[in-house]
Amino acid sequence: MAKIQSIQIKNFKGIKSFNQAFDGNNFICLIGSGDSGKSTILEAISLVLSPNWNIAIHDNDFYKGDTKNPIEIIVNLINIPSSLISETKFGLHLRGYDSKNSCISDEITESMESLLTIKLTVEKDLEPKWHVINSKTEDIPISASDRSKFNVFMVSDYIDRHFSWSKGNPLFTLLKEESKVDDDTVIIDALREAKKTIDKHPFDQFKAVLAKIQNYAKNLGVDITNTNTSIDFKDLVMKDGKVSLHEENIPFRLKGKGTKRLISIAIQTALAESGGILLIDEIEQGLEPHRAQFIVNSLKKNNIGQIFIATHSRDVIVELEYSNLFQMRATSNKLIPFTNNLQGLIRAHPEALFAKKLIVCEGATEIGIMRSLSKQMIERGNVDPILKGIRFVDGGGKNLFNYANGFHDSQYEFCVFCDSDDFGTEKKALSDKGIPIFDWNEGDCLEVAIVKDLPWVGIKEFLELSATLDSIEKAKTFEESLKSKWDSIKSKYGSTCADSFETAEDTPQMRSAIGLAANKGSWFKNQSKGESLGDIVNKHRENMDTDCKTNKILNAIAVWIEQ
């Protein structure tokens, strides 16, 4: 069954110009912000391959409402149905596709696949025109019945018609495939059989009135003794919704949105057993997260056709591979693919892929610091970074630069927040690409750097916070936890270390020992603890040296967020 190799869109809705190749990809998931054009791409595919003889186009379907520039949608199709490639159909208009080089030519060589190019054009008269095109031959029209052989249907908010047995709907196409009958009268024939059953109904409620009429007619010399009550066949003509699926006496169109979408997908999945192109806009709508995940996983496993979906849901993309994902941006005329560098992120932090800007953090502590910084910015009257589309990504230590390179390849705007005690080569490589790197002084980890800059009273709060968190986790008293923390500090300081914070002196050596003990002991190695640490830092920033590294980094990140 046919598959879309590539598509071009001009002057349709929010898209001025768009050109994208899909080559051999059979499951395509479009992500991106609202109004970026994801749904428009699906709708464009639906229109250019529509099985309907006519479609409704309005002035506002033109780019910026300008009807002077015609809508033009072109799809290149491979695996064309055999019934369409004979010389009496479109065999003389086929083109060649070189899959190795993703190249299309009007000349077909032995190494090429056959390809059919279909163009939909709508000018200011709003009349759609479909043609098969090839620069070596004259364009020829392609009918709705021929377009229906591509088995293209779209699941969106307007799917009630999918449950009626009418031409142009998936149920009707499935009926023709299952019955092996290429006859559009199959529905009207079924209605004729239904009418025979109706004609046998006695309609007892009307008998008395009918008898009176027959008697009066006889007095006037008119014999209507064979008259009966039935339904006029003009009311049984095939119309959308006239014959449709019901559950008992309730039409499927009255079911809930999620159920209707699932039933529509089920119909079209059955249709796709022999191949087809299924389009699903916002596949997660009306579905619980586990149901959305199950549907996507099931479609992927059982797909033998080509499926295009659009989503805003992390629960959808967590089931996919990087090769299935394409990002749409309003400023781009093509989709941006993802690389293998981000496969781990798709599983661990899929929500990050929906962000407008990203702060890639080395670990959970750094994310906690960023969450605390966000709170401080909001308190000072700034817009919440979340509302600006900014996400904090846990790089998981060793995956940090793998993710960063993946984001760079996928053209995200992002910065990196990390320690300075490792990754020198990787950081330089990213910095050379123009990626902002926010890190501490050379050789410093986060805890050491912060303890260097906090006022002494802040370091006391730093130590007491760690002891409090430890006592809660390990069901110990605060005093026991505090002693355990100080023992760790003494091991880093040496034998001359004071016996408690109260008797310790504020020296660089003591600060270094506290910071190293915190780092090696993982005192703040989760987001919640990191956020609490950030609260202490932000509380004391006004009392810290303006030019200290902690203030410089956090101020610089705040500026980057606000850009």
Side-chain angles (χ1 to χ4, degrees), residues 142-158:
I142 178 169
S143 67
S145 60
D146 283 335
R147 296 195 304 273
S148 71
K149 295 174 182 176
F150 297 120
N151 285 355
V152 178
F153 296 101
M154 182 167 176
V155 179
S156 63
D157 287 339
Y158 309 102

Side-chain angles (χ1 to χ4, degrees), residues 173-181 270 273:
T173 303
L174 184 59
L175 173 66
K176 289 175 66 175
E177 286 199 358
E178 289 294 313
S179 61
K180 307 298 181 185
V181 174
E273 283 183 351

Side-chain angles (χ1 to χ4, degrees), residues 48 97 125 156 198 247 376 415 446 460 495 499 504 512 547:
V48 71
Y97 170 57
D125 61 2
S156 63
I198 293 171
E247 184 172 39
Q376 187 184 57
C415 66
L446 179 146
K460 181 181 181 181
S495 57
D499 291 329
S512 178
D547 293 327

Side-chain angles (χ1 to χ4, degrees), residues 142-304:
I142 178 169
S143 67
S145 60
D146 283 335
R147 296 195 304 273
S148 71
K149 295 174 182 176
F150 297 120
N151 285 355
V152 178
F153 296 101
M154 182 167 176
V155 179
S156 63
D157 287 339
Y158 309 102
I159 56 174
D160 287 357
R161 66 182 184 85
H162 287 188
F163 310 125
S164 63
W165 299 90
S166 305
K167 285 192 292 185
N169 287 347
L171 268 179
F172 184 77
T173 303
L174 184 59
L175 173 66
K176 289 175 66 175
E177 286 199 358
E178 289 294 313
S179 61
K180 307 298 181 185
V181 174
D182 191 16
D183 185 356
D184 289 350
T185 65
V186 63
I187 298 297
I188 199 68
D189 287 343
L191 287 171
R192 287 177 180 132
E193 291 300 316
K195 188 174 187 304
K196 289 178 182 178
T197 301
I198 293 171
D199 289 343
K200 295 176 183 178
H201 185 73
F203 289 98
D204 292 335
Q205 302 92 326
F206 310 134
K207 279 187 175 181
V209 173
L210 181 59
K212 182 178 286 191
I213 294 170
Q214 287 172 331
N215 186 50
Y216 276 98
K218 183 178 180 181
N219 292 337
L220 296 173
V222 181
D223 184 5
I224 57 171
T225 55
N226 292 325
T227 301
N228 67 295
T229 300
S230 189
I231 294 176
D232 191 332
F233 204 85
K234 73 180 180 63
D235 292 322
L236 292 178
V237 293
M238 184 176 66
K239 294 180 181 178
D240 281 352
K242 187 65 69 173
V243 183
S244 62
L245 297 180
H246 287 60
E247 184 172 39
E248 296 181 347
N249 295 321
I250 307 300
F252 274 23
R253 63 182 174 80
L254 297 180
K255 286 183 174 291
K257 177 184 286 188
T259 301
K260 287 198 295 187
R261 289 170 71 90
L262 286 175
I263 296 170
S264 178
I265 292 170
I267 292 169
Q268 295 178 74
T269 302
L271 182 60
E273 283 183 351
S274 58
I277 299 172
L278 178 58
L279 312 169
I280 310 176
D281 193 19
E282 296 192 29
I283 189 171
E284 70 278 4
Q285 269 198 19
L287 301 178
E288 301 92 336
H290 67 276
R291 251 179 153 183
Q293 287 182 275
F294 176 79
I295 290 297
V296 172
N297 205 18
S298 178
L299 288 174
K300 251 186 77 179
K301 287 180 179 178
N302 301 315
N303 174 37
I304 63 170

